[in-house]
Each structure stands twice: as structure tokens, then as C-alpha cells.
Amino acid sequence: MSPAKSNAYAWPDENGRFGDYGGRYVAETLMPLVLELEQAYRAAKADRAFQDELDWFLKHYVGRPSPLYFAERLTQHFGGAKIYFKRDELNHTGAHKINNCMGQILLARRMGRTRIIAETGAGQHGVASATVCARFGLPCVVYMGATDVERQKPNVFRMRLLGAEVVPVTSGTGTLKDAMNEALRDWVTNVDDTFYIIGTAAGPHPYPELVRDFQSVIGREAREQILEQEGRLPDALVAAIGGGSNAIGLFHPFIGDDGVRLVGVEAAGHGIPTGQHAASLTGGRPGVLHGNKTYLLQDDDGQIIDAHSISAGLDYPGIGPEHAHLHDTGRAEYVSATDEEALEAFQLCAKLEGIIPALEPAHALARTGELAKEIGKGGIIVMNMCGRGDKDIFSVAERLGTKL
Amino acid sequence: MTKQRLDQRFAALNAEGRAGFVAYVMAGDPDPETAFEILKGLPAAGADVIELGFPFSDPMAEGPPIQRAALRALKAGMTLKGVLDIVRRFRAEADQDTPIVLMGYLNPILTYGFGRFAQDAADAGVDGLIVVDCPPEEADPLADELDAAGVSLIRLAAPTTDDKRLATVVRRTSGFVYYVSVAGVTGVKEVDAGAVAPAVERVRKASGLPVAVGFGVKTPEQAAAVARIADAAVVGSALVDRIAFAIEANENPAPKVLETAAALAKAVQSARLASKAEA
């Protein structure tokens, strides 16, 4: 079954599998809904009018295409390969999350759904969901861990301004995984009218596929832009990984290009050996959670362990199933960066490029310097600047000992 | 050949002309000893089948009562291996006849290993298994091992399951089918037995098996109403909530839970007699 050549890459298969990963591990009540969503998505994908409408909103509302920017001073600083940023932090709402939300809300409308739910960790996906709901006049309920509500107050206020109801989740440990549990509980309770906008390329099939497809606009644009600016494909792509939607969005259009290295950077938190991290591939093993089989942080009994990262957006004990597959096949490489390393990269980028990155891409940047040196002068790297850091200034200030 | 215990129990209930009472409790809740005392007392309290929950950190289909029960059990150190030890002890010390069905989520079983789990479960005296997040599309690798060990894989059918899908749902199932009476999580919405009756009939016809109805069955009245239209009524959240109340009130949870179970069992046992008398 496995594609013979990487340029024949055609995952997922008809069962929603990326190799051994993915699938549809949901309660029976949700199975018919998940199957209906798959059918609706197939039809939408084949419908030119749907794609045209999505393209229109991406251009005029989201602000695509996002620039591909040569980060000249960082390149000089590291003294190796040329570093380009794919600037998805310039999108409306400040991150790549809106690419996916725009696709899913158009799909929800097409399916006649009248109520939207979403989960959020850092609040970026919640804000993007609330934004598209405001734009299309649909009620929106966002589930957010109580711990995250406390540490991401500006985004909570933003969501409420946009008309969303933010529900703090106190079950479990009150973080992203619990928010996702609660969103699934809402969905199973409101099967007739509700569409669940999942924020990352994980969950039951077809979510990993459709989120990837909606985020692949990042990689398609980057490919065209680098060919235009450099006349060739890059040597490597780098992106941060929580669930992995920005990374798979950048990687996917390049998977068939064997000469392009794909490098995902997980959050190592306090360091992998401390056990307090969010690196599911490096520090976890395969299991089943939230509708899919993938790498998870878990104990010997199969109980899920809480993740830790300074970045609330990476603070998740799992990873999208396509990354699990790309990891096992070796097509993509996965490394990690600690909280400290991300904080250093965060400050470096602000000082040298005048760009305050979100803490998520700061993790990617933390590994980009070494990679640039390894590839060397004459090489080209594209890093996904998937979000801006305005949301993070409070937690960064606290870590740096500055009172705001 | 543990499957026989379920078949024999439902055959006996059928012969008596009454529905069964299925009592759900969480293994190891609130602590191993109290939980065992509860389990041991359930057959005498009138439980015809015991559903024993095995805890998972992220129980996506459960409402607050069973979520909290799982957290209590995990905090008290319960593991899937520990759950099998409890069943083994129950068979040795308490009861050989009451079927035990384990209910929970896939990841602990995946971690344990399907083959080893199926064998260990059968050896311990487990009769059936319900895995909430393992729909038929994903179940074959587990079903193969359970079949080999003689443990029933019991399926859930839901209000969203249409006739076409029902055929898929009841494939490779045995023992009974669990009909989820409401679209939702456990212990929140309440069952409307009248509305559920046609669905029960549909599932019975498609599967040729007894149908137990659960989710939203809390009171003796609701349990009796379900007992009139289904082959068994499942009560879970009301029992585990009784544990929580007892802990809060500083009481020994075991007698309280067994009292609640007895009242529910009585309602189920007399449901059809009462309806015959009315008629």
C-alpha cells in the first residue's frame, strides 16, 4: 500500500490513514457526522465555486498571499544559508490559523450548519474562529482551558469582542487537551446543528486532511515565491510543531521534492529529560487520543500526560498523524527547542529584523541558525513565521523579569 | 468461554420475562478497597450485569460524574492491570455467575497490547468489552484478539446511527448491543423511553441480540420505563455520583451506592409486572 516513491505521496488513504496513523477513533454518536463531513469535504474540494470563494476571502479578507521575506540581518548573524521567512504572521488576526478557519466556515455554511464550536490553547485559533463567525453571522462557542483563560487574557477579551462565548474548561488540567475533550462533548450533544472547527491538523479523519489542505496555501505560495526570487527550490523548510498545522501547510507542497529537507521543531519545554515538555515525537509513543492514532505523551498505563511549553500554542500532548507518518518514514526530521532557546530567538528576531515573532515560530527560529550553518553559504532555508508575538509580550515580560 | 455467561444471563432474564439491571461503577473509585466492597455487593443488590469502567485521563464521551470518578480512580492508583486484578478477585471471592463487561477507552488497551489484554481479561473472568472510542471501522485488530479469547466485543448504537450504518455497527458483535439513548455525554440529558422504543426494536432486529439502554437513565422511574421497552437498563452516573455525595458527607460510600443500586434494581425487576397489572 505504501507509495513507492515520495513523489507519489497520496496520503491519507480511504480509511483516513497516513501509514499506520490517523483513522477515526470517535464515539458511535459522532461517526455518522464524521463520515458526512468527509463526503461534504470531497464535494467541496471538487467544486470550483467553493475554491473560488475561499480564494476570494483569503485574498481580500485574510490578506494573502503573505510575503516571502529575505531575513538579511539574521542570515548575516548566523553566517550560513540564506534565511527566508514565510510571513503568515501578517495575516488578519496575526497567525496562520485563519487560513483553516476560513476554509472550515465556508464548509460549515455549505453543509447548512448554524452553530460553530472550537477549542483553543493560546487563543489564536479561538480568535480566528470567532473572527470568521462574526464575518458570517454565526454563533460561536470557544472552549478554552481555565489555566489558559488566565494566562491569555487579551485573546479572551478579543474573542468576546468578536461576539464569541468563551467557556473556561476546568475538567482535567484545564489546558488545550481538556478544551478539545470539552468541544467533542459539545459536538456529541449538539449533533443536529453544530460544526466543530478543529484548529490543528489532528482529530478524526477527515480533519487532518482538510486542515492540511486549507493550510497548504502557505507552502504553495512559498514554492512559487522562492522560485521567483531564487530560481530554485530551498534546501530546507523549518516550522514549529504543536499539533502541526502550520508545519504541514508549509511542508505538504514540497513532500515530493526529495532535495528539500523538512524540519519540524517541537517544544522541549524545560528540556526533554525533565519530562516537562510538549515533544510528542521525541518524547512520546503511538497511541489513540482525540479521534486519531498518533504519537502521544503518555504513561505506562496509557494515561495522557500533560504537556509543558512556554508557548500555549505548542502545549499539547499529541501531534497531527501526518507528522507521525513523516517521522516514521524519515521524510521529515523532527528536532526540539527549549523554552529558554525560544525566548532567546524571540528577542534576537525582534532586535535584528524588527519582527516580534510569536513564541511558536520562535521555537522554529531557535533551530534555524544551526541549520543555516550546517547547510552553509549558498544554501536557502524557508522558515514559517506562522504568528506574531503581540499575544506573548505579557508572558515574555514576566519571564524576563519586567513588570508591565 | 466467558461469552456464555452473558448469553446465559440474558436467556434467564428472558425466561423470567423481565429486563435486566446493568450497574456501572468505575473500578478503583474512590479507592481500591471501597470499590471492591461495592463491586462485591452489586449482585446481591440486584445487578444482573456489571459494567466496570476502567479509568482514562481523557474520557471524551463522559459527563462530569464519570469524569470525576475516573480522576478519583486514577488518583488512587488504578491501572488497567489493576482492573483485571479486581475482576480476578471478584470471581475468586464473590461471584461466578454475574457477567462483567469492562467499559472505557482504547488507549490503555492499546498500551497493554490487544492480544495480551484479551487473554488476560478472559483469564480474569471478564465477559465483554465496550470501547467508547473504537467504532467498528477501527475495531478489527481488537475484535480478532477478543474473538480468539472468547470475550464479547459489545457495540454502541446511537440515535445518529441510521439503518444502513446499523448493519456495520452490529457486525462481529455478541452478548448484547448497548443503545445510547441520547445524543450526548453520559449522565447529562435524560432518557425519553417512549422515543427510544422504536430504536431499540430496530437494533434488536438488526443484531438478533438483546439491547441494553443507557446514557440518561438516572432514577428508578426512568430505569423502569426503559425496562418496559428494552432487554436491560444501564445506570452509571447516578451510582458514581452517589459515591461523590457520600465522600462529601464523610460517609462510607459502599452501603449508600448499594442502596441506590437496590432501588434501581427493584424498579427494573418489577417494571413489566407493574405495567401488566395496569393493563
Side-chain angles (χ1 to χ4, degrees):
Chain A
M1 272 306 286
S2 181
K5 289 194 307 188
S6 53
N7 61 11
Y9 189 91
W11 302 103
D13 65 16
E14 68 277 13
N15 298 314
R17 293 269 169 180
F18 302 86
D20 194 32
Y21 303 100
R24 312 176 184 92
Y25 295 91
V26 294
E28 175 57 27
T29 311
L30 286 182
M31 265 312 278
L33 281 76
V34 164
L35 294 170
E36 185 194 355
L37 176 63
E38 185 185 346
Q39 266 186 347
Y41 178 59
R42 292 270 167 269
K45 204 172 172 176
D47 181 355
R48 194 60 246 173
F50 177 82
Q51 292 299 328
D52 287 347
E53 189 184 20
L54 177 56
D55 290 347
W56 192 91
F57 277 103
L58 288 178
K59 180 174 178 189
H60 298 285
Y61 190 72
V62 174
R64 302 208 72 92
S66 69
L68 183 73
Y69 161 75
F70 173 44
E72 193 176 357
R73 297 196 66 213
L74 270 170
T75 299
Q76 282 167 3
H77 176 81
F78 291 121
K82 290 173 87 171
I83 298 167
Y84 281 84
F85 288 163
K86 179 59 177 162
R87 298 202 54 193
D88 257 50
E89 99 280 12
L90 294 175
N91 293 338
H92 180 40
T93 71
H96 69 290
K97 293 292 186 188
I98 190 114
N99 303 329
N100 168 47
C101 289
M102 191 52 79
Q104 289 202 45
I105 194 112
L106 295 179
L107 190 56
R109 278 160 53 88
R110 198 183 155 95
M111 293 176 74
R113 296 290 189 262
T114 54
R115 175 177 177 269
I116 303 295
I117 58 171
E119 86 293 336
T120 197
Q124 290 305 103
H125 175 61
V127 167
S129 298
T131 297
V132 296
C133 286
R135 171 59 186 79
F136 291 101
L138 294 177
C140 180
V141 178
V142 180
Y143 290 95
M144 187 169 185
T147 313
D148 290 335
V149 168
E150 198 47 46
R151 62 179 174 177
Q152 301 286 339
K153 281 182 187 154
N155 272 344
V156 174
F157 184 63
R158 228 167 255 151
M159 285 183 266
R160 288 182 175 147
L161 270 181
L162 291 161
E165 181 192 345
V166 181
V167 181
V169 177
T170 53
S171 62
T173 49
T175 57
L176 178 54
K177 82 172 172 75
D178 306 296
M180 197 153 176
N181 289 336
E182 214 54 40
L184 286 164
R185 289 177 186 128
D186 179 310
W187 198 21
V188 87
T189 308
N190 299 286
V191 292
D192 294 328
D193 61 351
T194 297
F195 189 101
Y196 178 16
I197 300 187
I198 293 185
T200 194
H205 180 63
Y207 281 104
E209 179 187 354
L210 72 84
V211 174
R212 173 198 75 195
D213 290 351
F214 291 141
Q215 291 295 3
S216 289
V217 66
I218 301 172
R220 287 197 304 273
E221 287 175 5
R223 195 185 166 89
E224 203 170 294
Q225 289 165 322
I226 200 72
L227 286 173
E228 197 182 292
Q229 294 182 41
E230 291 282 352
R232 72 171 181 92
L233 293 178
D235 298 288
L237 307 175
V238 188
I241 310 238
S245 72
N246 91 79
I248 204 67
L250 177 64
F251 292 175
H252 190 255
F254 294 88
I255 288 179
D257 301 305
D258 290 338
V260 181
R261 287 170 66 183
L262 313 175
V263 182
V265 184
E266 296 191 289
H270 295 316
I272 309 275
T274 66
Q276 291 182 303
H277 59 83
S280 320
L281 288 175
T282 315
R285 59 181 164 79
V288 168
L289 178 71
H290 293 152
N292 58 177
K293 184 174 184 191
T294 187
Y295 279 77
L296 302 170
L297 301 181
Q298 53 184 320
D299 70 12
D300 293 343
D301 187 43
Q303 308 296 337
I304 306 306
I305 296 173
D306 282 316
H308 166 80
S309 170
I310 186 172
S311 150
L314 303 181
D315 207 347
Y316 180 68
I319 185 167
E322 192 160 12
H323 286 295
H325 174 62
L326 293 173
H327 171 264
D328 281 14
T329 61
R331 176 61 190 97
E333 309 157 46
Y334 295 88
V335 293
S336 63
T338 63
D339 289 354
E340 286 303 320
E341 291 172 320
L343 274 169
E344 268 173 43
F346 181 95
Q347 296 170 79
L348 185 68
C349 188
K351 282 189 184 130
L352 288 185
E353 294 292 348
I355 295 170
I356 301 178
L359 280 169
E360 291 80 14
H363 282 74
L365 187 57
R367 289 279 83 84
T368 300
E370 296 155 16
L371 190 64
K373 283 180 207 159
E374 187 195 323
I375 292 172
K377 281 198 178 10
I380 301 167
I381 295 175
V382 173
M383 193 206 93
N384 201 2
M385 183 57 74
C386 63
R388 59 177 173 245
D390 308 46
K391 70 180 174 64
D392 294 315
I393 55 168
F394 295 97
S395 45
V396 171
E398 196 187 312
R399 282 294 287 262
L400 299 178
T402 303
K403 206 168 160 65
L404 294 186
Chain B
M1 290 302 99
T2 56
K3 275 180 179 175
Q4 286 174 3
R5 214 163 3 219
L6 273 168
D7 294 341
Q8 281 164 3
R9 180 53 51 104
F10 277 102
L13 290 167
N14 195 35
E16 279 181 58
R18 70 170 180 93
F21 169 51
V22 182
Y24 173 101
V25 290
M26 177 67 74
D29 171 33
D31 60 74
E33 278 314 306
T34 311
F36 189 72
E37 201 185 326
I38 293 168
L39 191 66
K40 209 168 71 173
L42 280 173
D48 297 300
V49 175
I50 296 170
E51 253 180 48
L52 189 59
F54 53 98
F56 182 48
S57 53
D58 296 79
M60 285 145 341
E62 313 301 342
I66 295 180
Q67 286 175 38
R68 288 192 288 257
L71 287 180
R72 285 194 298 269
L74 287 173
K75 217 174 154 191
M78 191 43 61
T79 61
L80 185 55
K81 183 181 173 303
V83 174
L84 296 181
D85 290 341
I86 288 172
V87 176
R88 195 173 297 110
R89 187 175 160 203
F90 175 81
R91 290 286 178 234
E93 293 178 22
D95 184 293
Q96 293 285 338
D97 306 319
T98 307
I100 292 189
V101 175
L102 299 188
M103 182 168 184
Y105 293 79
L106 190 61
N107 202 48
I109 301 174
L110 190 69
T111 301
Y112 198 105
F114 290 164
R116 199 160 68 87
F117 172 78
Q119 200 51 58
D120 289 358
D123 291 347
V126 169
D127 303 287
L129 178 68
I130 302 174
V131 189
V132 178
D133 58 349
C134 188
E137 284 82 351
E138 306 290 354
D140 280 341
L142 178 60
D144 290 345
E145 300 293 346
L146 292 175
D147 277 351
V151 175
S152 292
L153 179 58
I154 289 154
R155 296 260 192 241
L156 301 159
T160 49
T161 313
D162 63 18
D163 282 329
K164 190 168 157 248
R165 183 165 170 75
L166 200 49
T168 308
V169 167
V170 301
R171 198 174 58 87
R172 302 194 72 172
T173 194
S174 59
F176 64 93
V177 180
Y178 189 133
Y179 184 71
V180 173
S181 69
V182 294
V185 294
T186 50
V188 176
K189 289 183 185 173
E190 301 199 354
V191 64
D192 174 356
V196 164
V200 170
E201 204 39 60
R202 223 157 43 87
V203 177
R204 211 182 259 143
K205 214 172 142 193
S207 65
L209 290 169
V211 178
V213 172
F215 279 50
V217 187
K218 296 175 188 170
T219 64
E221 292 72 29
Q222 287 163 346
V226 167
R228 284 182 205 112
I229 55 117
D231 301 293
V234 189
V235 181
S237 295
L239 294 177
V240 302
D241 248 355
R242 195 68 196 81
I243 296 179
F245 296 147
I247 295 171
E248 255 172 59
N250 249 331
E251 299 166 336
N252 178 4
K256 300 291 172 189
V257 175
L258 294 173
E259 215 171 85
T260 305
L264 288 159
K266 203 178 148 206
V268 169
Q269 284 158 7
S270 56
R272 292 193 198 161
L273 295 175
S275 66
K276 271 179 206 155
E278 279 163 30

